[in-house]
Amino acid sequence: MPELAAVNGRISPIDEAKISINDRGMVFGDGVYEVIASYRGRLFLFDEHLRRLRRSLDAIRMEYVEIEPIAEQMNYLFERAALPRAKVYLQITRGTAPRDHAFPVPTRGPNVIITVREVHEIDQAKLDRGVACITHRDIRWGRVDVKTTNLLPNCLAKQAALDRGCFDAIFVSGEGIVREATSANLFAAKNGGLWTHPTDERILGGITRAKLIELARPKGIEVREEKFDVDFLLGADEVFITGTTTEVLPIINVDGRPIGGGKPGPLARRMLALLTEWLLMNVDS
Ligand SMILES: Cc1ncc(COP(=O)(O)O)c(C=O)c1O
C-alpha cells in the first residue's frame, strides 16, 4: 500500500494532499505535532504520545481540540496504509485564517494533517560505528518542551552539522549546559551511570528518553536527570542520543574530539537491547 495523507479527514496519496496558504501552521508555525513509529503492525507508545500532544495543545491554548477522534483517524490511516514499519506524523495547527498574529475569531477549527510513511532506518554502519556531532548554541525559544512545528533553529543546527561532515548538532546553552540534539535527547555515561538533562522547559521530554529511564533503573543502572556542561560531555565514557526513529544512537566524537576512545560503548548497546527487548515483548503480548 502507498504512503498516505489525511487532511481534515480527506485521504489521498501524500503528493496530492493540499492545505490552504492561509494555514497558520504554514504562516506562523502555529501548531504542534507528534511522530509515532510502528513495530510489527502496532503503533508504539501511542498513549504516551497522545498525552504529550494534549500537553502541547494546552500549552498553545488549543485546549478545545479533542484528541480521541484524531487518534481514531491516525489508527485508521495507519491500518489502511498497511506499511510494515511506519511512522505516523500528526500536525494540528490553529486553522486557516487571513494572516494576523491574533488568534482567529471565531475559531473555524484546527487543521489536522496526518501522514503515514515508511521509516527509513538508521544505517547499521552508523549504529555499529557511532556518529560525530558538533555543539551548537541553543537559539531556540524558551518553551521547547512544547512540541511545536517551529523548528527553524533545529533545521539550522542540523544543517550546520551536516556542512561540517557530522551527523547532528548538540544544543548547548549560553552557560555551557548540554541540552539535547536537534531531534533527539542526549545521555552521557560516566562510571556505569547515565546523565541526562532534566525535563524542564529547555528540552523536549522524549517518549524514548522516558522509556529508557524506566527500563534502566530496575536493571541497577543509575540515571541522573541533572544538568551537565560541555566539559563533562567531552569527558564522558559514552554519549548517545535517543528518539522515536533514532532509537539509541552512539555519539563517538564531539567537535572533533573523540568520546570514550572514539568507539560506541557497552551502555549504549545495552540500552538499545533493553528497548528492543521491551518493544518485542509488547508486540507479542
Ligand atoms: C528536540 C527533540 N528532542 C527529543 C526528541 C525525542 O523525542 P521522542 O523520543 O518522543 O521521539 C525529539 C523528537 O522529535 C525532538 O524533536
Side-chain angles (χ1 to χ4, degrees):
M1 284 296 272
E3 298 186 322
L4 290 176
V7 177
N8 296 330
R10 193 194 175 103
I11 297 174
S12 70
I14 288 181
D15 289 348
E16 289 168 26
K18 290 192 173 54
I19 189 92
S20 165
I21 60 162
N22 279 331
D23 171 59
R24 288 182 61 103
M26 200 189 78
V27 178
F28 293 119
D30 186 1
V32 297
Y33 76 105
E34 278 295 330
V35 181
I36 307 174
S38 80
Y39 296 86
R40 298 199 192 164
R42 267 187 59 183
L43 286 178
F44 253 85
L45 296 164
F46 197 30
D47 292 345
E48 286 81 347
H49 282 276
L50 295 181
R51 274 198 288 277
R52 183 170 66 188
L53 177 67
R54 177 78 273 154
R55 283 200 302 277
S56 296
L57 285 166
D58 292 351
I60 69 161
R61 298 173 58 185
M62 290 183 70
E63 314 78 359
Y64 50 86
V65 175
E66 278 182 48
I67 289 187
E68 209 163 292
I70 296 173
E72 277 169 24
Q73 279 184 47
M74 289 166 86
N75 263 320
Y76 177 75
L77 201 69
F78 167 63
E79 278 169 21
R80 195 154 150 189
L83 297 169
R85 181 95 163 89
K87 63 178 170 193
V88 178
Y89 175 81
L90 167 71
Q91 176 172 315
I92 304 176
T93 74
R94 206 180 306 276
T96 302
R99 187 180 184 282
D100 183 357
H101 289 65
F103 294 173
V105 180
T107 307
R108 272 202 286 167
N111 284 327
V112 177
I113 298 171
I114 304 167
T115 61
V116 182
R117 297 174 202 260
E118 255 173 70
V119 172
H120 297 291
E121 309 278 358
I122 292 194
D123 289 354
Q124 193 56 42
K126 287 200 172 78
L127 286 170
D128 292 344
R129 282 186 232 132
V131 295
C133 283
I134 59 167
T135 55
H136 192 286
R137 176 76 184 266
D138 193 353
I139 55 164
R140 299 175 297 169
W141 75 317
R143 286 299 310 275
V144 299
D145 57 315
V146 184
K147 201 163 168 65
T148 79
T149 54
N150 281 278
L151 294 172
L152 180 56
N154 308 55
C155 297
L156 289 170
K158 175 79 179 186
Q159 192 57 47
L162 295 175
D163 291 348
R164 285 169 54 187
C166 292
F167 177 80
D168 204 356
I170 298 167
F171 284 123
V172 175
S173 76
E175 300 76 42
I177 300 299
V178 174
R179 289 184 171 148
E180 60 181 336
T182 62
S183 60
N185 292 116
L186 182 141
F187 287 80
K190 188 97 187 154
N191 303 327
L194 291 173
W195 271 254
T196 191
H197 195 288
T199 45
D200 58 14
E201 297 181 348
R202 297 300 180 176
I203 65 160
L204 181 77
I207 305 297
T208 320
R209 172 192 179 282
K211 181 51 70 184
L212 285 170
I213 294 173
E214 186 191 307
L215 294 171
R217 286 185 171 144
K219 299 284 179 198
I221 302 167
E222 194 184 346
V223 185
R224 293 183 199 210
E225 296 179 74
E226 289 170 14
K227 292 182 184 174
F228 56 86
D229 63 13
V230 174
D231 285 344
F232 183 89
L233 179 81
L234 295 174
D237 300 329
E238 291 179 49
V239 173
F240 56 87
I241 56 173
T242 68
T244 296
T245 53
T246 310
E247 296 185 349
V248 178
L249 181 63
I251 306 299
I252 51 151
N253 189 296
V254 175
D255 290 338
R257 305 196 20 200
I259 304 289
K263 288 199 193 107
L267 258 178
R269 256 196 303 277
R270 177 132 190 245
M271 295 313 297
L272 180 58
L274 284 176
L275 185 66
T276 311
E277 192 181 295
W278 183 87
L279 288 173
L280 294 179
M281 264 173 47
N282 282 273
V283 160
D284 292 337
S285 64

mmCIF file of all heavy atoms in Angstrom, residues 142-181:
data_model
loop_
_atom_site.group_PDB
_atom_site.id
_atom_site.type_symbol
_atom_site.label_atom_id
_atom_site.label_comp_id
_atom_site.label_asym_id
_atom_site.label_seq_id
_atom_site.Cartn_x
_atom_site.Cartn_y
_atom_site.Cartn_z
ATOM 1 N N GLY A 142 11.972 29.695 24.493
ATOM 2 C CA GLY A 142 12.051 29.258 25.886
ATOM 3 C C GLY A 142 11.087 28.160 26.293
ATOM 4 O O GLY A 142 10.998 27.818 27.478
ATOM 5 N N ARG A 143 10.339 27.565 25.325
ATOM 6 C CA ARG A 143 9.385 26.501 25.675
ATOM 7 C C ARG A 143 9.541 25.313 24.727
ATOM 8 O O ARG A 143 8.575 24.878 24.102
ATOM 9 C CB ARG A 143 7.948 27.031 25.600
ATOM 10 C CG ARG A 143 7.518 27.946 26.713
ATOM 11 C CD ARG A 143 7.564 27.310 28.101
ATOM 12 N NE ARG A 143 6.910 26.017 28.229
ATOM 13 C CZ ARG A 143 5.606 25.837 28.455
ATOM 14 N NH1 ARG A 143 4.823 26.869 28.592
ATOM 15 N NH2 ARG A 143 5.096 24.614 28.576
ATOM 16 N N VAL A 144 10.786 24.801 24.648
ATOM 17 C CA VAL A 144 10.978 23.699 23.698
ATOM 18 C C VAL A 144 10.415 22.377 24.223
ATOM 19 O O VAL A 144 10.460 21.364 23.533
ATOM 20 C CB VAL A 144 12.467 23.541 23.286
ATOM 21 C CG1 VAL A 144 12.966 24.802 22.610
ATOM 22 C CG2 VAL A 144 13.337 23.143 24.459
ATOM 23 N N ASP A 145 9.870 22.403 25.452
ATOM 24 C CA ASP A 145 9.143 21.227 25.946
ATOM 25 C C ASP A 145 7.807 21.058 25.197
ATOM 26 O O ASP A 145 7.199 19.989 25.248
ATOM 27 C CB ASP A 145 8.883 21.347 27.458
ATOM 28 C CG ASP A 145 8.116 22.620 27.811
ATOM 29 O OD1 ASP A 145 8.471 23.698 27.280
ATOM 30 O OD2 ASP A 145 7.166 22.533 28.605
ATOM 31 N N VAL A 146 7.371 22.128 24.526
ATOM 32 C CA VAL A 146 6.144 22.053 23.732
ATOM 33 C C VAL A 146 6.548 21.634 22.318
ATOM 34 O O VAL A 146 7.432 22.252 21.720
ATOM 35 C CB VAL A 146 5.430 23.424 23.691
ATOM 36 C CG1 VAL A 146 4.109 23.298 22.942
ATOM 37 C CG2 VAL A 146 5.223 23.972 25.091
ATOM 38 N N LYS A 147 5.910 20.603 21.809
ATOM 39 C CA LYS A 147 6.338 20.050 20.520
ATOM 40 C C LYS A 147 5.670 20.832 19.395
ATOM 41 O O LYS A 147 4.701 20.373 18.770
ATOM 42 C CB LYS A 147 6.009 18.553 20.475
ATOM 43 C CG LYS A 147 6.843 17.786 19.456
ATOM 44 C CD LYS A 147 6.782 16.293 19.743
ATOM 45 C CE LYS A 147 7.324 15.445 18.635
ATOM 46 N NZ LYS A 147 8.736 15.585 18.347
ATOM 47 N N THR A 148 6.158 22.054 19.168
ATOM 48 C CA THR A 148 5.555 22.883 18.117
ATOM 49 C C THR A 148 6.281 22.668 16.793
ATOM 50 O O THR A 148 7.403 22.160 16.759
ATOM 51 C CB THR A 148 5.626 24.391 18.431
ATOM 52 O OG1 THR A 148 6.934 24.868 18.127
ATOM 53 C CG2 THR A 148 5.286 24.697 19.873
ATOM 54 N N THR A 149 5.631 23.105 15.722
ATOM 55 C CA THR A 149 6.227 22.949 14.393
ATOM 56 C C THR A 149 7.278 24.029 14.113
ATOM 57 O O THR A 149 7.851 24.041 13.037
ATOM 58 C CB THR A 149 5.124 23.007 13.314
ATOM 59 O OG1 THR A 149 4.383 24.208 13.494
ATOM 60 C CG2 THR A 149 4.193 21.813 13.421
ATOM 61 N N ASN A 150 7.529 24.902 15.080
ATOM 62 C CA ASN A 150 8.575 25.926 14.927
ATOM 63 C C ASN A 150 9.946 25.289 15.068
ATOM 64 O O ASN A 150 10.511 25.261 16.158
ATOM 65 C CB ASN A 150 8.464 26.963 16.039
ATOM 66 C CG ASN A 150 7.379 27.964 15.769
ATOM 67 O OD1 ASN A 150 7.589 28.910 15.024
ATOM 68 N ND2 ASN A 150 6.230 27.738 16.368
ATOM 69 N N LEU A 151 10.501 24.774 13.980
ATOM 70 C CA LEU A 151 11.736 24.014 14.109
ATOM 71 C C LEU A 151 12.897 24.634 13.328
ATOM 72 O O LEU A 151 13.892 23.951 13.062
ATOM 73 C CB LEU A 151 11.503 22.557 13.666
ATOM 74 C CG LEU A 151 10.544 21.779 14.583
ATOM 75 C CD1 LEU A 151 10.213 20.419 13.984
ATOM 76 C CD2 LEU A 151 11.134 21.597 15.978
ATOM 77 N N LEU A 152 12.774 25.933 13.001
ATOM 78 C CA LEU A 152 13.847 26.543 12.209
ATOM 79 C C LEU A 152 15.216 26.454 12.906
ATOM 80 O O LEU A 152 16.195 26.070 12.264
ATOM 81 C CB LEU A 152 13.490 28.000 11.859
ATOM 82 C CG LEU A 152 14.539 28.746 11.037
ATOM 83 C CD1 LEU A 152 14.868 28.018 9.736
ATOM 84 C CD2 LEU A 152 14.074 30.164 10.737
ATOM 85 N N PRO A 153 15.311 26.758 14.205
ATOM 86 C CA PRO A 153 16.639 26.632 14.841
ATOM 87 C C PRO A 153 17.182 25.198 14.767
ATOM 88 O O PRO A 153 18.393 24.999 14.616
ATOM 89 C CB PRO A 153 16.394 27.039 16.301
ATOM 90 C CG PRO A 153 15.117 27.802 16.281
ATOM 91 C CD PRO A 153 14.299 27.242 15.161
ATOM 92 N N ASN A 154 16.281 24.228 14.855
ATOM 93 C CA ASN A 154 16.702 22.826 14.764
ATOM 94 C C ASN A 154 17.236 22.530 13.365
ATOM 95 O O ASN A 154 18.243 21.844 13.204
ATOM 96 C CB ASN A 154 15.532 21.891 15.091
ATOM 97 C CG ASN A 154 14.862 22.234 16.405
ATOM 98 O OD1 ASN A 154 14.436 23.360 16.620
ATOM 99 N ND2 ASN A 154 14.762 21.270 17.306
ATOM 100 N N CYS A 155 16.530 23.060 12.345
ATOM 101 C CA CYS A 155 16.970 22.839 10.956
ATOM 102 C C CYS A 155 18.324 23.497 10.723
ATOM 103 O O CYS A 155 19.218 22.910 10.096
ATOM 104 C CB CYS A 155 15.953 23.412 9.964
ATOM 105 S SG CYS A 155 14.354 22.617 10.059
ATOM 106 N N LEU A 156 18.491 24.731 11.217
ATOM 107 C CA LEU A 156 19.763 25.439 11.017
ATOM 108 C C LEU A 156 20.908 24.683 11.687
ATOM 109 O O LEU A 156 21.996 24.544 11.116
ATOM 110 C CB LEU A 156 19.666 26.865 11.592
ATOM 111 C CG LEU A 156 18.769 27.830 10.805
ATOM 112 C CD1 LEU A 156 18.551 29.122 11.598
ATOM 113 C CD2 LEU A 156 19.387 28.156 9.446
ATOM 114 N N ALA A 157 20.659 24.185 12.887
ATOM 115 C CA ALA A 157 21.728 23.472 13.623
ATOM 116 C C ALA A 157 22.050 22.147 12.941
ATOM 117 O O ALA A 157 23.221 21.767 12.817
ATOM 118 C CB ALA A 157 21.296 23.257 15.078
ATOM 119 N N LYS A 158 21.018 21.436 12.490
ATOM 120 C CA LYS A 158 21.250 20.164 11.796
ATOM 121 C C LYS A 158 22.079 20.415 10.545
ATOM 122 O O LYS A 158 23.044 19.695 10.267
ATOM 123 C CB LYS A 158 19.901 19.525 11.432
ATOM 124 C CG LYS A 158 19.996 18.250 10.611
ATOM 125 C CD LYS A 158 20.334 17.031 11.449
ATOM 126 C CE LYS A 158 20.397 15.764 10.610
ATOM 127 N NZ LYS A 158 20.587 14.557 11.386
ATOM 128 N N GLN A 159 21.717 21.457 9.782
ATOM 129 C CA GLN A 159 22.452 21.719 8.546
ATOM 130 C C GLN A 159 23.890 22.139 8.846
ATOM 131 O O GLN A 159 24.816 21.749 8.114
ATOM 132 C CB GLN A 159 21.727 22.795 7.718
ATOM 133 C CG GLN A 159 22.257 22.928 6.304
ATOM 134 C CD GLN A 159 22.187 21.609 5.514
ATOM 135 O OE1 GLN A 159 21.178 20.931 5.516
ATOM 136 N NE2 GLN A 159 23.297 21.236 4.865
ATOM 137 N N ALA A 160 24.082 22.901 9.914
ATOM 138 C CA ALA A 160 25.457 23.291 10.295
ATOM 139 C C ALA A 160 26.287 22.041 10.566
ATOM 140 O O ALA A 160 27.465 21.967 10.196
ATOM 141 C CB ALA A 160 25.418 24.197 11.529
ATOM 142 N N ALA A 161 25.666 21.043 11.198
ATOM 143 C CA ALA A 161 26.374 19.778 11.475
ATOM 144 C C ALA A 161 26.707 19.066 10.170
ATOM 145 O O ALA A 161 27.846 18.627 9.958
ATOM 146 C CB ALA A 161 25.513 18.884 12.370
ATOM 147 N N LEU A 162 25.728 18.964 9.287
ATOM 148 C CA LEU A 162 25.954 18.272 8.004
ATOM 149 C C LEU A 162 27.035 18.986 7.196
ATOM 150 O O LEU A 162 27.900 18.345 6.596
ATOM 151 C CB LEU A 162 24.647 18.199 7.200
ATOM 152 C CG LEU A 162 23.533 17.352 7.828
ATOM 153 C CD1 LEU A 162 22.254 17.456 7.010
ATOM 154 C CD2 LEU A 162 23.941 15.891 7.969
ATOM 155 N N ASP A 163 27.015 20.321 7.231
ATOM 156 C CA ASP A 163 28.017 21.091 6.476
ATOM 157 C C ASP A 163 29.427 20.797 6.976
ATOM 158 O O ASP A 163 30.395 20.980 6.251
ATOM 159 C CB ASP A 163 27.739 22.597 6.597
ATOM 160 C CG ASP A 163 26.473 23.005 5.854
ATOM 161 O OD1 ASP A 163 25.942 22.185 5.070
ATOM 162 O OD2 ASP A 163 26.003 24.139 6.068
ATOM 163 N N ARG A 164 29.526 20.359 8.239
ATOM 164 C CA ARG A 164 30.851 20.032 8.786
ATOM 165 C C ARG A 164 31.099 18.527 8.788
ATOM 166 O O ARG A 164 31.966 18.027 9.505
ATOM 167 C CB ARG A 164 30.982 20.635 10.180
ATOM 168 C CG ARG A 164 31.190 22.152 10.023
ATOM 169 C CD ARG A 164 31.075 22.936 11.277
ATOM 170 N NE ARG A 164 31.931 22.456 12.341
ATOM 171 C CZ ARG A 164 31.894 22.925 13.580
ATOM 172 N NH1 ARG A 164 31.038 23.896 13.861
ATOM 173 N NH2 ARG A 164 32.675 22.449 14.507
ATOM 174 N N GLY A 165 30.322 17.818 7.996
ATOM 175 C CA GLY A 165 30.544 16.377 7.846
ATOM 176 C C GLY A 165 30.098 15.582 9.059
ATOM 177 O O GLY A 165 30.517 14.431 9.237
ATOM 178 N N CYS A 166 29.249 16.165 9.896
ATOM 179 C CA CYS A 166 28.780 15.469 11.104
ATOM 180 C C CYS A 166 27.315 15.064 10.946
ATOM 181 O O CYS A 166 26.626 15.534 10.049
ATOM 182 C CB CYS A 166 28.946 16.371 12.327
ATOM 183 S SG CYS A 166 30.677 16.634 12.726
ATOM 184 N N PHE A 167 26.868 14.207 11.862
ATOM 185 C CA PHE A 167 25.515 13.673 11.783
ATOM 186 C C PHE A 167 24.495 14.632 12.376
ATOM 187 O O PHE A 167 23.381 14.774 11.883
ATOM 188 C CB PHE A 167 25.455 12.326 12.511
ATOM 189 C CG PHE A 167 24.084 11.724 12.548
ATOM 190 C CD1 PHE A 167 23.594 11.044 11.440
ATOM 191 C CD2 PHE A 167 23.278 11.839 13.669
ATOM 192 C CE1 PHE A 167 22.314 10.488 11.455
ATOM 193 C CE2 PHE A 167 21.997 11.287 13.694
ATOM 194 C CZ PHE A 167 21.519 10.612 12.586
ATOM 195 N N ASP A 168 24.854 15.277 13.481
ATOM 196 C CA ASP A 168 23.859 16.098 14.174
ATOM 197 C C ASP A 168 24.555 17.159 15.020
ATOM 198 O O ASP A 168 25.784 17.148 15.165
ATOM 199 C CB ASP A 168 22.962 15.213 15.066
ATOM 200 C CG ASP A 168 21.595 15.838 15.336
ATOM 201 O OD1 ASP A 168 21.354 16.991 14.907
ATOM 202 O OD2 ASP A 168 20.759 15.178 15.981
ATOM 203 N N ALA A 169 23.735 18.053 15.572
ATOM 204 C CA ALA A 169 24.247 19.107 16.449
ATOM 205 C C ALA A 169 23.663 18.914 17.845
ATOM 206 O O ALA A 169 22.510 18.485 17.986
ATOM 207 C CB ALA A 169 23.848 20.466 15.901
ATOM 208 N N ILE A 170 24.470 19.230 18.833
ATOM 209 C CA ILE A 170 24.028 19.146 20.239
ATOM 210 C C ILE A 170 23.839 20.575 20.728
ATOM 211 O O ILE A 170 24.783 21.377 20.700
ATOM 212 C CB ILE A 170 25.092 18.413 21.089
ATOM 213 C CG1 ILE A 170 25.275 16.983 20.577
ATOM 214 C CG2 ILE A 170 24.713 18.449 22.564
ATOM 215 C CD1 ILE A 170 26.511 16.294 21.153
ATOM 216 N N PHE A 171 22.622 20.879 21.164
ATOM 217 C CA PHE A 171 22.343 22.230 21.645
ATOM 218 C C PHE A 171 22.982 22.450 23.013
ATOM 219 O O PHE A 171 22.842 21.621 23.929
ATOM 220 C CB PHE A 171 20.831 22.457 21.761
ATOM 221 C CG PHE A 171 20.145 22.680 20.445
ATOM 222 C CD1 PHE A 171 19.096 21.874 20.037
ATOM 223 C CD2 PHE A 171 20.537 23.725 19.608
ATOM 224 C CE1 PHE A 171 18.453 22.090 18.829
ATOM 225 C CE2 PHE A 171 19.898 23.952 18.385
ATOM 226 C CZ PHE A 171 18.853 23.136 18.005
ATOM 227 N N VAL A 172 23.664 23.593 23.130
ATOM 228 C CA VAL A 172 24.335 23.959 24.384
ATOM 229 C C VAL A 172 23.878 25.372 24.742
ATOM 230 O O VAL A 172 23.847 26.259 23.882
ATOM 231 C CB VAL A 172 25.875 23.918 24.182
ATOM 232 C CG1 VAL A 172 26.590 24.411 25.421
ATOM 233 C CG2 VAL A 172 26.325 22.505 23.827
ATOM 234 N N SER A 173 23.520 25.568 26.013
ATOM 235 C CA SER A 173 23.037 26.890 26.439
ATOM 236 C C SER A 173 24.200 27.883 26.490
ATOM 237 O O SER A 173 25.370 27.482 26.435
ATOM 238 C CB SER A 173 22.408 26.789 27.830
ATOM 239 O OG SER A 173 23.435 26.686 28.801
ATOM 240 N N GLY A 174 23.873 29.157 26.642
ATOM 241 C CA GLY A 174 24.889 30.207 26.758
ATOM 242 C C GLY A 174 25.842 29.952 27.912
ATOM 243 O O GLY A 174 27.002 30.366 27.894
ATOM 244 N N GLU A 175 25.361 29.236 28.931
ATOM 245 C CA GLU A 175 26.199 28.940 30.108
ATOM 246 C C GLU A 175 26.943 27.618 29.949
ATOM 247 O O GLU A 175 27.575 27.138 30.904
ATOM 248 C CB GLU A 175 25.341 28.854 31.384
ATOM 249 C CG GLU A 175 24.560 30.106 31.745
ATOM 250 C CD GLU A 175 23.325 30.306 30.865
ATOM 251 O OE1 GLU A 175 22.611 29.326 30.579
ATOM 252 O OE2 GLU A 175 23.096 31.464 30.447
ATOM 253 N N GLY A 176 26.831 27.006 28.799
ATOM 254 C CA GLY A 176 27.582 25.767 28.551
ATOM 255 C C GLY A 176 26.864 24.496 28.975
ATOM 256 O O GLY A 176 27.464 23.420 29.009
ATOM 257 N N ILE A 177 25.565 24.602 29.300
ATOM 258 C CA ILE A 177 24.801 23.403 29.684
ATOM 259 C C ILE A 177 24.372 22.633 28.427
ATOM 260 O O ILE A 177 23.848 23.220 27.477
ATOM 261 C CB ILE A 177 23.532 23.789 30.502
ATOM 262 C CG1 ILE A 177 23.916 24.543 31.782
ATOM 263 C CG2 ILE A 177 22.672 22.562 30.815
ATOM 264 C CD1 ILE A 177 24.779 23.765 32.748
ATOM 265 N N VAL A 178 24.603 21.324 28.481
ATOM 266 C CA VAL A 178 24.278 20.458 27.339
ATOM 267 C C VAL A 178 22.792 20.097 27.414
ATOM 268 O O VAL A 178 22.328 19.604 28.445
ATOM 269 C CB VAL A 178 25.125 19.164 27.391
ATOM 270 C CG1 VAL A 178 24.699 18.184 26.300
ATOM 271 C CG2 VAL A 178 26.604 19.512 27.264
ATOM 272 N N ARG A 179 22.070 20.337 26.320
ATOM 273 C CA ARG A 179 20.620 20.098 26.371
ATOM 274 C C ARG A 179 20.203 18.844 25.609
ATOM 275 O O ARG A 179 19.903 17.835 26.208
ATOM 276 C CB ARG A 179 19.896 21.334 25.880
ATOM 277 C CG ARG A 179 20.042 22.429 26.935
ATOM 278 C CD ARG A 179 19.299 23.661 26.624
ATOM 279 N NE ARG A 179 19.312 24.578 27.751
ATOM 280 C CZ ARG A 179 19.302 25.882 27.652
ATOM 281 N NH1 ARG A 179 19.288 26.460 26.467
ATOM 282 N NH2 ARG A 179 19.288 26.630 28.729
ATOM 283 N N GLU A 180 20.202 18.878 24.338
ATOM 284 C CA GLU A 180 19.749 17.721 23.548
ATOM 285 C C GLU A 180 20.212 17.925 22.119
ATOM 286 O O GLU A 180 20.806 18.958 21.793
ATOM 287 C CB GLU A 180 18.222 17.588 23.625
ATOM 288 C CG GLU A 180 17.480 18.812 23.101
ATOM 289 C CD GLU A 180 15.971 18.684 23.193
ATOM 290 O OE1 GLU A 180 15.436 17.557 23.223
ATOM 291 O OE2 GLU A 180 15.304 19.746 23.216
ATOM 292 N N ALA A 181 19.946 16.946 21.258
ATOM 293 C CA ALA A 181 20.286 17.088 19.842
ATOM 294 C C ALA A 181 19.117 17.741 19.113
ATOM 295 O O ALA A 181 18.122 18.121 19.733
ATOM 296 C CB ALA A 181 20.610 15.709 19.265
#
